Amino acid sequence: PILRDGATGDWLGTFVGHKGAVWSAMLGSDTSRAVTASADYTAKVWDAISGQELVSFMHGNIVKSADFAGSDESVATGSQDKAVRLFDVSRPDAPTTLATHDAPVRSVKWSAHRRLLISADAGRQIKITDLRSPALASALEAPEPIASISLTGDGRVLSCAAGRRVLVWDADAFKLTRDFALAYDVSVAAINPARTRMVVGGRSDLLIRCCEFDSGELLDTHKGHHGSVHDACFSPDGHVYATGSEDGTVRLWQTNPGSEYGLWQYRKA
């Protein structure tokens, strides 16, 4: 895994230690720690300043996703063995199984707003677990197999890319608010902080589309990736979004092309 400056893409450091493909990487709330999930059957917590590995959580199968859950001392993971687990950094060998899915788990997301853990599998299930119980707080179902889920930065909106659909839920009541039917397969969908834009990654055509959030109207189409796009995320200020692809690249795009921001500087006549 590599850490880069969010505005410019400049290299800051590399975390060395995994022996397989890294499927997921997340920073903690104060950005001093990072957590990664890998095909080497581990999830690891790192010091994001020094790059030092702090702890490794062993699994019996590929780990597809990991996120800090409530604090930088707790980590939730989702694995190919269909289980969602919670690890304590101080006791890495004693995980708690929070949920079991009917298919391999693709993604786990921590909603700090509601203090809930959201997990999605490669089938059609999304499960919401309350760590204070712990108990299944709610369950959602997508109409087609799920490619990915995404939360807005404030944790209030959940989006799901599934087949040729993008579904959006209010993450307070988990009420479906939008259901976009598209003409192409989607691999990821992310919504900006202002709830005015939605970025969608094409699974087969490899295009990045920026749409108006309320109507779904297409605003921009971008080319550049040469492999399926597996993740997308807006910056906290919403001016830039990043996309990550299996072509080995992460690309930054402007929400409003033509403005000065980070690497985008323009000469004045």
Side-chain angles (χ1 to χ4, degrees):
I2 296 173
L3 185 66
R4 294 184 180 271
D5 183 281
T8 66
D10 289 344
W11 175 86
L12 299 176
T14 302
F15 304 113
V16 179
H18 279 301
K19 307 298 183 185
V22 176
W23 285 100
S24 164
M26 294 289 291
L27 286 170
S29 56
D30 65 358
T31 71
S32 65
R33 288 186 175 185
V35 62
T36 54
S38 173
D40 65 7
Y41 292 21
T42 72
K44 295 180 184 289
V45 174
W46 312 81
D47 184 314
I49 308 301
S50 67
Q52 178 185 358
E53 180 183 322
L54 300 178
V55 64
S56 184
F57 306 116
M58 297 300 301
H59 292 68
N61 212 313
I62 293 170
V63 189
K64 294 299 292 284
S65 184
D67 197 2
F68 291 105
S71 76
D72 289 355
E73 299 299 318
S74 296
V75 169
T77 66
S79 173
Q80 284 287 98
D81 66 5
K82 308 177 185 179
V84 177
R85 296 178 174 86
L86 183 68
F87 290 85
D88 187 320
V89 169
S90 64
R91 301 177 60 207
D93 57 347
T96 299
T97 299
L98 296 177
T100 302
H101 283 256
D102 295 334
V105 180
R106 280 192 181 276
S107 184
V108 293
K109 301 288 184 184
W110 170 249
S111 172
H113 169 58
R114 288 287 308 279
R115 299 191 63 79
L116 297 172
L117 185 71
I118 303 171
S119 55
D121 63 35
R124 304 183 182 197
Q125 284 186 325
I126 299 174
K127 293 188 175 185
I128 298 96
T129 306
D130 188 337
L131 301 192
R132 293 163 291 192
S133 302
L136 187 65
S138 185
L140 308 172
E141 186 167 339
E144 300 182 55
I146 296 168
S148 66
I149 58 171
S150 179
L151 273 175
T152 52
D154 60 7
R156 293 178 179 271
V157 180
L158 172 68
S159 56
C160 171
R164 295 190 169 193
R165 306 272 283 277
V166 173
L167 300 102
V168 181
W169 288 273
D170 171 351
D172 284 321
F174 292 103
K175 177 183 177 182
L176 185 67
T177 59
R178 288 170 179 79
D179 183 351
F180 298 103
L182 306 173
Y184 49 88
D185 291 330
V186 292
S187 55
V188 66
I191 299 160
N192 72 338
R195 321 285 200 265
T196 58
R197 297 287 187 271
M198 176 176 68
V199 169
V200 180
R203 178 188 289 273
S204 301
D205 62 18
L206 314 183
L207 297 177
I208 304 298
R209 295 173 173 88
C210 186
C211 305
E212 206 278 331
F213 178 53
D214 283 331
S215 66
E217 178 187 354
L218 181 64
L219 301 175
D220 288 300
T221 301
H222 302 294
K223 297 179 181 179
H225 284 300
H226 302 287
S228 294
V229 178
H230 291 297
D231 205 359
C233 183
F234 278 90
S235 60
D237 61 15
H239 290 301
V240 173
Y241 54 93
T243 54
S245 166
E246 66 181 37
D247 65 9
T249 68
V250 174
R251 296 178 183 267
L252 300 179
W253 315 84
Q254 283 187 297
T255 306
N256 298 298
S259 59
E260 292 193 357
Y261 187 95
L263 289 174
W264 292 277
Q265 301 294 325
Y266 300 94
R267 293 181 181 177
K268 294 183 171 48

